[in-house]
Amino acid sequence: MEQLINESIVISDQLTAAVEEVNQSIGELTQIADQSAETEGQLREASIKAMERIEETFSTLQEVAASAEQISETAEQLDRQSKSANEDVLQARRLLTNTDQVMTDLHTYNSAVDKHIRDLIEQTSRINEINEFIQEIVSQTSLLALNASIEAAHAGEYGR
């Protein structure tokens, strides 16, 4: 009976250690989720800044086009400015296309991060359920060990 009590205590200690490890894992997962949320916020801020820069670039390109139309005193200058404006527009189109691709990639990345965060939250929830189950087992094991000790005490010399 004493061996059973000792084994119950060892099992109880092992379960308590497992619960502590699970709690530590939950803390780490929570920290990872917080870092992911912070990274997502930073990406959103970067996206907003990129959009502002695109708008500024587009505005600047419009001003350049207006200036090119005003400065057309000679045919030679008009030809050079026309070619330059054409190259600027093509470059802007390439930049806008490139920026659009970057924005699409950012959106995809944000979606993936969001999915990972949701997955982490779901896993954390599952870990909490497992943790509660283990705590219930530890509680029951401790109660069984206490009952065994009481029964052994009642049985006296024969209980040992």
Side-chain angles (χ1 to χ4, degrees):
M1 191 58 119
E2 185 176 306
Q3 183 180 3
L4 178 61
I5 291 171
N6 287 338
E7 288 176 3
S8 294
I9 290 171
V10 168
I11 290 171
S12 176
D13 289 343
Q14 289 174 344
L15 285 172
T16 301
V19 167
E20 289 175 6
E21 286 182 18
V22 167
N23 284 335
Q24 183 180 8
S25 295
I26 289 171
E28 291 172 1
L29 286 173
T30 302
Q31 184 181 15
I32 290 170
D34 291 342
Q35 289 173 347
S36 295
E38 182 180 333
T39 302
E40 180 184 2
Q42 291 171 350
L43 286 173
R44 283 187 184 169
E45 288 178 17
S47 296
I48 290 169
K49 287 179 183 177
M51 286 301 296
E52 290 172 356
R53 288 180 185 153
I54 290 169
E55 290 173 1
E56 289 173 6
T57 302
F58 186 73
S59 176
T60 303
L61 288 174
Q62 287 177 337
E63 291 174 13
V64 168
S67 295
E69 288 178 6
Q70 291 175 357
I71 305 173
S72 60
E73 294 177 8
T74 64
E76 188 175 310
Q77 289 176 345
L78 180 62
D79 185 50
R80 283 190 302 237
Q81 290 175 358
S82 176
K83 288 178 182 178
S84 176
N86 188 25
E87 290 174 9
D88 287 344
V89 169
L90 289 175
Q91 180 65 22
R93 183 180 291 165
R94 279 180 252 157
L95 287 173
L96 288 173
T97 302
N98 223 6
T99 302
D100 186 48
Q101 181 61 42
V102 168
M103 293 303 292
T104 302
D105 292 344
L106 282 173
H107 178 70
T108 303
Y109 182 74
N110 279 342
S111 297
V113 167
D114 188 47
K115 183 185 180 309
H116 288 301
I117 288 171
R118 279 188 256 123
D119 289 345
L120 284 172
I121 289 169
E122 184 178 318
Q123 289 175 1
T124 301
S125 175
R126 288 183 188 153
I127 290 172
N128 282 334
E129 290 173 10
I130 292 170
N131 188 26
E132 289 173 9
F133 179 72
I134 290 173
Q135 286 176 348
E136 185 177 324
I137 290 173
V138 168
S139 175
Q140 290 176 3
T141 303
S142 295
L143 185 60
L144 285 173
L146 179 62
N147 284 341
S149 295
I150 291 171
E151 289 301 319
H154 284 301
E157 187 64 34
Y158 295 108
R160 291 192 189 124

